[in-house]
């Protein structure tokens, strides 16, 4: 278990990118948090760190928007 508090979207993204760059095959990460706390920004950073170029969107947005 690892807890990390960030204080801006830029810091959250950078931490996510760092995690993505260090991630190893088979590792599992879970995110827990209320709406608007930065889970999507963090995940966008992880995706960049992994070299993913496709857009990363919030699954909650799709759920609540009815898409």
């Amino acid at each position: 278990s690892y807890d990390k508090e960030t204080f801006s979207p830029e810091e959250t993204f950078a931490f996510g990118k760092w995690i993505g760059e260090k991630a190893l095959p088979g590792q599992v990460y879970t995110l827990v948090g209320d709406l608007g706390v930065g889970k999507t920004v963090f995940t966008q950073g992880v995706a960049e760190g992994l070299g993913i170029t496709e857009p990363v969107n919030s699954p909650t947005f799709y759920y609540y928007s009815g898409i």
Side-chain angles (χ1 to χ4, degrees):
S1 176
Y2 187 87
D3 291 327
K4 168 77 172 167
E5 187 173 357
T6 59
F7 299 96
S8 71
E10 295 80 14
E11 189 178 350
T12 302
F13 184 92
F15 180 62
K17 183 177 177 182
W18 180 81
I19 292 287
E21 291 170 344
K22 306 294 183 207
L24 300 173
Q27 289 182 321
V28 176
Y29 298 87
T30 60
L31 303 176
V32 178
D34 292 333
L35 288 173
V37 298
K39 296 181 301 293
T40 300
V41 171
F42 174 82
T43 303
Q44 290 167 339
V46 171
E48 184 169 304
L50 291 170
I52 296 170
T53 58
E54 290 84 7
V56 175
N57 298 308
S58 168
T60 306
F61 170 78
Y62 291 111
Y63 177 75
Y64 283 106
S65 67
I67 295 176

